[in-house]
Structure formats: C-alpha cells, structure tokens
C-alpha cells in the first residue's frame, strides 16, 4: 500500500532500522557484520528473524550485496533459489509517498550480479535474471524464462521457458526426478 513518509509509523520504523544498520559495521573498515555470513544458512536465519519467508536450500548473497534486503518482511523466496549480489527492493518512494508491495522469488530461481527485482514483481519457478537486469514493478518473469536488460521487458527474453521434463538432471529437485531425467537421455 501507500504510506505518507512523515505520518506513517511503518516509514518511521523503517528509517530507525536503516539508522541502526551502521552499528553492524566494523569501525574504520566499512565492512558489515553480515558480510561474514554471506552465502551461509546464518544469513538465511537472520532474514527469517526479520520476517522474510525463505525456503530450504536458499543461498543468499554469496558475493555480498548493497543493499541486502531492505524490507525482508515483504519478501518470499522459495526452495533452492540463489540471490547473488542482487537487490530485492519492495518499496518505491515518489515525492514522499512510500509505496510498499510484496516480492516473490520462485523455486530454483537465480538472480545474478547487479540484477534488481522491484516492488510487487514475481519470478516464477526456474527463472533467471542475468547480470545488470532490472525487473520493473508488477512485472512477472515467466517459469523457466531468462531475462537480460535494464529494464528487461518481455522483449528482453534471452531463453525460452523450459518444461520441467526438459531440465537436465542437475536442476531437478528430487532423486527420483534426477533418475528419470537421466533415463530419458
């Protein structure tokens, strides 16, 4: 929804969170305490504690990010996804009106370096954003689709969607599926 910057308690609490974030930094080095946990389960637990809905086998920020999730309580990341040095931004500030909407990253999705998913955007299962890719607010990346571009509209699809049966054994989600995919080859 939309919130006025100067009267919304959410906006003021969010500003407090941002103001306290420098306390995580190491004096003089500019490194964030969270950088020590990049790509680990500890970082997943941290964002879950802040309200993010994160599935199993998720890899968050193995190469860091600036910023890491700014509104984790509005983010859903499903099983097997990998978010590299990418931005999950669930807000838009237009002339003091702060608009917040959920973000959804589907099962086995990949966001590569410097990709950005804007508010209310959805990545369907097994989709991928290439380096330096922007997905605009309310856009939907279709299942199995690979996108590239700033912004990456429907005209910037770099690979067509794959059916689940077309995936190689390494990308399947269970042992049974891996065996079935190998048998088909």
């Amino acid at each position: 929804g939309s919130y006025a910057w100067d009267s919304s308690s959410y906006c003021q609490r969010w500003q407090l969170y941002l103001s306290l974030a420098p306390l995580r930094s190491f004096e003089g080095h500019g490194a964030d305490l969270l950088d020590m946990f990049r790509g680990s389960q500890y970082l997943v637990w941290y964002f879950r504690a802040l309200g993010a809905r994160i599935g199993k086998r998720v890899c968050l920020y193995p190469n860091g990010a600036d910023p890491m999730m700014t509104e984790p309580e509005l983010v859903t990341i499903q099983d097997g996804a990998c978010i590299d040095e990418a931005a999950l931004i669930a807000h838009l500030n237009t002339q003091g009106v702060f608009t917040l909407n959920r973000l959804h990253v589907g099962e086995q999705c990949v966001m590569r370096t410097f990709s950005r998913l804007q508010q209310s955007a959805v990545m369907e299962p097994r989709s991928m954003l290439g380096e330096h890719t922007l997905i605009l607010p309310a856009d939907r990346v279709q299942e199995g689709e690979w996108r590239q571009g700033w912004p990456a509209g429907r005209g910037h699809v770099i690979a067509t969607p794959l059916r689940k049966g077309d995936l190689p054994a390494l990308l399947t989600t269970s042992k049974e599926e891996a065996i079935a995919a190998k048998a088909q080859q």
Side-chain angles (χ1 to χ4, degrees), residues 32-95:
D32 191 317
L33 179 65
L34 296 180
D35 286 338
M36 294 180 3
F37 301 109
R38 296 186 307 192
S40 75
Q41 185 64 34
Y42 295 109
L43 195 57
V44 170
W45 291 337
Y46 172 79
F47 284 112
R48 280 181 184 158
L50 292 177
R53 289 178 281 302
I54 302 175
K56 301 175 201 164
R57 300 178 320 278
V58 170
C59 182
L60 290 178
Y61 308 117
N63 293 307
D66 185 25
M68 290 189 185
M69 274 182 253
T70 54
E71 300 89 12
E73 70 279 8
L74 297 173
V75 175
T76 299
I77 303 172
Q78 292 187 316
D79 296 348
C82 180
I83 312 299
D84 196 357
E85 193 173 350
L88 294 165
I89 308 296
H91 72 272
L92 182 65
N93 187 0
T94 307
Q95 298 179 350

Side-chain angles (χ1 to χ4, degrees), residues 156-174:
H156 294 88
V157 175
I158 59 174
T160 57
L162 299 172
R163 293 184 314 272
K164 193 167 186 173
D166 293 340
L167 294 175
L170 291 175
L171 296 178
T172 57
T173 57
S174 70

Side-chain angles (χ1 to χ4, degrees), residues 109 122-129 135 139-147 154 157 159-162:
C109 287
V122 173
M123 289 182 70
E124 292 183 357
R126 292 173 294 286
S127 58
M128 195 268 302
L129 302 182
I135 300 300
D139 199 359
R140 179 175 291 271
V141 182
Q142 301 297 319
E143 182 172 353
E145 195 173 73
W146 291 18
R147 290 225 198 147
R154 291 287 306 147
V157 175
T160 57
L162 299 172

Side-chain angles (χ1 to χ4, degrees), residues 18-35:
L18 292 179
S19 298
L20 294 175
L23 296 176
R24 297 187 316 236
S25 297
F26 293 105
E27 188 68 35
H29 297 291
D32 191 317
L33 179 65
L34 296 180
D35 286 338

